[in-house]
Amino acid sequence: MFNSRSLHSMNPNVRQVKETAKRQLHNVKIGINDLKILHLDDYIREALLDPIYGFSTSKWFLRKDSVPDNCKEEITKLVKAHIFEEDGSVIRKVENYMQLFDVKSGFTAAPCHQFSTEQHVGLKLIATKKWEKDEILNSHNFNVLFDTIPLHLNEYSVSKPSVGQKEHIWLGPSSIVNHSCEPNTVYEHYEKKTLLKVIKPIEIGEEITVNYSRKYFFKCECDTCKKGPEESTVKRKRGDSTISSKNLIMRKTRASNTRWSQEDSDKELAKTYALYQKMFDSVDYPPELKESAESAEHCFTQRFLMIETPQMDQHLRTFAKETKDMVHRVQVSRNLLSKDKLNENLTISCWKNAEKLIQIGTAFMSSPEKLEANDVDDLKSMAKFIEDLIKHQESLKEIRNRKLEEEELIRRKEEVREHFLGTEETQKNSPQDRVANLVMQRAISQLSPQLRPIITRIFDGPTQQTAVSNGETSRKRKSSNRRKRTAKREKSPTGTPEISDVFLRIHYTNRPIQTLHVKKIGDDGQQNGLNSQNQQKLEEVVNFFLMNPTVTQ
Ligand SMILES: C[S@@+](CC[C@H](N)C(=O)[O-])C[C@H]1O[C@@H](n2cnc3c(N)ncnc32)[C@H](O)[C@@H]1O
């Protein structure tokens, strides 16, 4: 079921997840052939839809086992990551179901309580866009079925459209289209598949139905049949709709611990959008799938906003025609994005797209004669809506950037402070050590030709107080100082760095040489060394370094 060549060319992490999924699917004994494709479809339906709808939508009444939890998880991960490369694999089938959550597909699933044949707990397909006559539900996936499927084995997913036609399996979204004696679609047969063609306009929220065929194995409970033959506009042919009760096969009882009340389509639609959102929220991306998942979501959302195609003109028309539908889409996108804490880039790029959307709206508004009054109002309010959201997003971004800047400033201040005053560790030393340290560190690190006239030499201990040797290179000076300091420190019995008295001889260009003496703490523990005058001088020097690290005059 998994193509080994494509597995090899994949990211190893993705491959690993897929291989796990493959193993798990094998463990539950799924393979691709005619009958098993039905099982597989059912597994996916169970793994994907049941957690979302909160009841068992499973249609495979003969099946004893169920999707193991770990397998469900894998499937959900794969769904989440939208990794749909391989034809005919489980992933493809999952993608079929994903159309239910892609508002652009024009349909979605909603709970259905109409049919006793499924214990009043089932699903139906409803329109999320306005469908016009003769449009084809082309993402509707009816696979041509193999002759080998015995009809009685699965009355649920198999249909025999007409004489001479092969039977068809109903997979993915198509498996939730209910039968009606007054349907709004008909089968449209193509060489390789059968699609649904719209035969009368379908409003948003309206159920999409088809007349299954002349033969199906349940007692019809569609609206038309419920109204009774005298009210129905449909002329029944003999043999249509019903068969004798002994052939009526009841489906596996659904786990109906949920009581579904009948809701109007608007509410159902809103609920479905919420489900869409829940779906994306439900799983955390595993780290190994994060990248592909995010880029897939990115594509998904772009597609969703309908702006990344070259046929802008066509889009503009659709946009005008489906303004209301677009408002729904934007609402869904808003929900989706507001919940997306996983990927900020995705959110930002989505808002960029939304900006483009506003441009489209603005272009439209500049030639309003093309639109009906209602459309213009809707469009304006939608553009305003998006604009507000973008502003909101922008202000959040600004706040974040400001915060980052502040953090950076604090960090840099801290760095400078540490550089001059030393870390907490060095600050624990005596004041004169600290000052000496800081001057020494600073001077050593900054010794450059410009500084030479100012600092001639810094050294430890009064005996080493010498004048400048101008011929000495800064490197030599540094290493000699290091040697001296090291020697001093090694002498310390405690092992902690110790600095004795420090003499600084400072050569000013326009003043006499000055010597500062910072005394070590006396053995008696008496803190001295820095008389106020020296203290002041030291501060002056330090400040000089702080302010003019490379300036000589
Ligand atoms: C392909 S499924 C359609 C989707 C189904 N409602 C679900 O939740 O999966 C076909 C099954 O739906 C039920 N069904 C569809 N249309 C029906 C109708 N007009 N009257 C009674 N039951 C119907 C039957 O149980 C039938 O076996």
Side-chain angles (χ1 to χ4, degrees):
M1 115 178 51
F2 286 90
N3 173 330
S4 58
R5 213 176 41 168
S6 56
L7 274 178
H8 286 303
S9 59
M10 260 180 242
N11 167 332
N13 293 326
V14 174
R15 190 164 68 227
Q16 196 187 343
V17 172
K18 288 193 168 191
E19 276 168 351
T20 317
K22 177 185 172 186
R23 236 184 355 264
Q24 283 165 340
L25 289 169
H26 276 309
N27 287 345
V28 294
K29 296 192 175 51
I30 298 176
I32 295 288
N33 65 35
D34 45 10
L35 265 179
K36 283 176 182 167
I37 205 168
L38 291 169
H39 288 251
L40 179 57
D41 195 61
D42 212 21
Y43 274 111
I44 294 165
R45 183 167 165 165
E46 186 184 326
L48 192 59
L49 298 189
D50 290 2
I52 294 170
Y53 289 90
F55 62 85
S56 166
T57 66
S58 175
K59 58 189 161 51
W60 183 242
F61 70 97
L62 288 179
R63 210 191 55 223
K64 301 278 186 296
D65 53 351
S66 179
V67 183
D69 279 349
N70 55 354
C71 185
K72 265 185 202 170
E73 201 182 302
E74 284 306 330
I75 290 176
T76 324
K77 271 182 203 165
L78 292 169
V79 172
K80 184 82 172 136
H82 298 226
I83 308 164
F84 302 134
E85 295 114 22
E86 295 126 310
D87 262 9
S89 72
V90 58
I91 319 295
R92 266 270 150 239
K93 302 290 165 280
V94 171
E95 187 187 30
N96 289 344
Y97 276 104
M98 282 306 293
Q99 292 168 9
L100 288 174
F101 306 100
D102 178 359
V103 268
K104 199 167 170 288
S105 69
F107 50 76
T108 192
C112 167
H113 323 283
Q114 189 165 344
F115 307 124
S116 63
T117 53
E118 46 187 14
Q119 287 81 48
H120 299 281
V121 185
L123 293 176
K124 63 184 174 186
L125 200 71
I126 57 166
T128 56
K129 69 170 225 111
K130 192 170 173 186
W131 288 94
E132 302 294 349
K133 187 171 178 298
D134 293 334
E135 272 190 277
I136 303 280
L137 278 75
N138 56 4
S139 45
H140 219 68
N141 195 359
F142 282 72
N143 290 11
V144 172
L145 184 59
F146 325 78
D147 293 323
T148 49
I149 294 218
L151 252 186
H152 72 275
L153 267 186
N154 189 355
E155 99 291 7
Y156 200 77
S157 292
V158 180
S159 83
K160 193 170 173 59
S162 58
V163 185
Q165 289 285 334
K166 282 184 176 177
E167 289 144 358
H168 288 69
I169 308 181
W170 299 22
L171 299 168
S174 63
S175 73
I176 56 172
V177 179
N178 287 316
H179 163 90
S180 168
C181 295
E182 275 182 299
N184 45 27
T185 67
V186 289
Y187 295 117
E188 185 79 357
H189 302 296
Y190 295 90
E191 199 190 330
K192 289 245 159 95
K193 54 185 177 181
T194 300
L195 305 174
L196 287 183
K197 186 165 113 181
V198 178
I199 52 170
K200 53 188 174 193
I202 308 173
E203 293 297 326
I204 295 173
E206 201 182 318
E207 183 177 358
I208 296 167
T209 55
V210 71
N211 189 326
Y212 281 176
S213 70
R214 289 191 297 152
K215 242 186 175 187
Y216 44 86
F217 297 84
F218 54 81
K219 186 175 183 307
C220 183
E221 295 168 317
C222 75
D223 290 342
T224 310
C225 291
K226 277 204 265 170
K227 277 187 227 158
E230 58 289 348
E231 282 182 57
S232 165
T233 54
V234 178
K235 275 193 182 163
R236 301 264 188 91
K237 288 182 196 153
R238 262 187 76 196
D240 264 11
S241 306
T242 51
I243 58 159
S244 64
S245 59
K246 74 173 165 43
N247 289 334
L248 194 129
I249 303 171
M250 289 302 282
R251 299 171 54 203
K252 175 182 144 190
T253 307
R254 291 181 191 278
S256 61
N257 51 1
T258 329
R259 283 184 194 280
W260 294 95
S261 63
Q262 204 48 284
E263 283 170 318
D264 61 63
S265 12
D266 268 3
K267 266 191 178 166
E268 283 189 355
L269 206 58
K271 216 162 137 192
T272 309
Y273 288 140
L275 293 172
Y276 171 83
Q277 180 190 325
K278 189 173 160 189
M279 160 108 196
F280 277 84
D281 279 349
S282 61
V283 186
D284 277 342
Y285 292 120
E288 68 273 19
L289 286 182
K290 204 161 188 282
E291 202 183 315
S292 59
E294 283 172 356
S295 76
E297 272 205 14
H298 177 79
C299 298
F300 187 77
T301 332
Q302 280 198 342
R303 201 162 43 128
F304 170 80
L305 284 171
M306 278 214 342
I307 35 199
E308 281 285 305
T309 82
Q311 301 109 4
M312 200 51 95
D313 194 47
Q314 181 54 39
H315 271 168
L316 295 181
R317 274 165 228 294
T318 321
F319 188 53
K321 217 170 74 182
E322 299 179 356
T323 306
K324 286 203 175 95
D325 190 21
M326 283 298 288
V327 173
H328 282 301
R329 286 175 196 177
V330 172
Q331 278 165 355
V332 177
S333 99
R334 184 193 56 176
N335 287 343
L336 181 68
L337 297 180
S338 67
K339 286 280 150 61
D340 185 359
K341 295 180 189 72
L342 298 167
N343 183 3
E344 262 200 306
N345 290 339
L346 165 70
T347 317
I348 290 164
S349 74
C350 282
W351 288 112
K352 278 194 188 137
N353 287 338
E355 256 173 307
K356 277 195 219 162
L357 199 62
I358 288 182
Q359 282 167 15
I360 301 170
T362 316
F364 250 113
M365 281 182 245
S366 65
S367 37
E369 69 283 357
K370 283 188 190 166
L371 300 169
E372 288 172 18
N374 281 352
D375 290 338
V376 177
D377 286 347
D378 280 345
L379 202 58
K380 276 183 182 165
S381 65
M382 193 187 80
K384 172 89 181 50
F385 167 74
I386 301 172
E387 209 168 12
D388 288 348
L389 286 172
I390 288 176
K391 272 190 202 145
H392 177 64
Q393 188 74 11
E394 285 299 315
S395 65
L396 286 182
K397 228 165 83 183
E398 229 173 71
I399 292 173
R400 208 179 45 238
N401 285 347
R402 256 209 316 274
K403 217 175 139 212
L404 281 179
E405 270 171 23
E406 273 166 20
E407 275 169 15
E408 172 68 6
L409 210 66
I410 292 172
R411 196 184 61 74
R412 290 186 59 184
K413 275 186 185 162
E414 189 60 28
E415 237 177 54
V416 170
R417 203 183 65 83
E418 258 182 33
H419 187 78
F420 289 110
L421 297 177
T423 56
E424 254 179 54
E425 189 63 31
T426 52
Q427 285 171 27
K428 278 183 208 143
N429 298 336
S430 67
Q432 58 268 56
D433 273 3
R434 223 161 55 224
V435 177
N437 249 333
L438 111 85
V439 174
M440 218 153 28
Q441 280 168 16
R442 186 72 190 130
I444 288 166
S445 68
Q446 291 289 334
L447 266 182
S448 65
Q450 289 106 314
L451 283 176
R452 267 181 221 151
I454 301 168
I455 299 283
T456 57
R457 181 136 186 140
I458 299 165
F459 51 89
D460 298 346
T463 52
Q464 286 152 1
Q465 181 183 354
T466 51
V468 190
S469 156
N470 279 333
E472 205 176 21
T473 65
S474 76
R475 212 155 119 209
K476 270 185 189 164
R477 267 197 301 275
K478 276 184 202 170
S479 73
S480 106
N481 281 334
R482 213 179 300 127
R483 265 200 316 276
K484 286 167 197 160
R485 281 198 315 269
T486 314
K488 272 275 176 212
R489 284 170 190 169
E490 275 167 1
K491 277 184 205 161
S492 162
T494 59
T496 50
E498 233 178 54
I499 295 173
S500 59
D501 292 8
V502 173
F503 287 80
L504 300 175
R505 182 177 290 179
I506 305 170
H507 287 216
Y508 291 95
T509 46
N510 51 358
R511 275 196 273 163
I513 293 172
Q514 290 214 3
T515 304
L516 300 180
H517 178 194
V518 184
K519 271 193 183 164
K520 189 186 170 193
I521 300 178
D523 289 339
D524 53 358
Q526 204 190 344
Q527 295 238 358
N528 53 24
L530 270 182
N531 64 30
S532 61
Q533 203 191 356
N534 277 358
Q535 169 96 45
Q536 206 185 340
K537 277 278 169 277
L538 264 175
E539 271 167 18
E540 205 180 291
V541 175
V542 169
N543 282 338
F544 178 86
F545 287 137
L546 283 174
M547 305 305 295
N548 311 286
T550 55
V551 179
T552 54
Q553 299 294 321

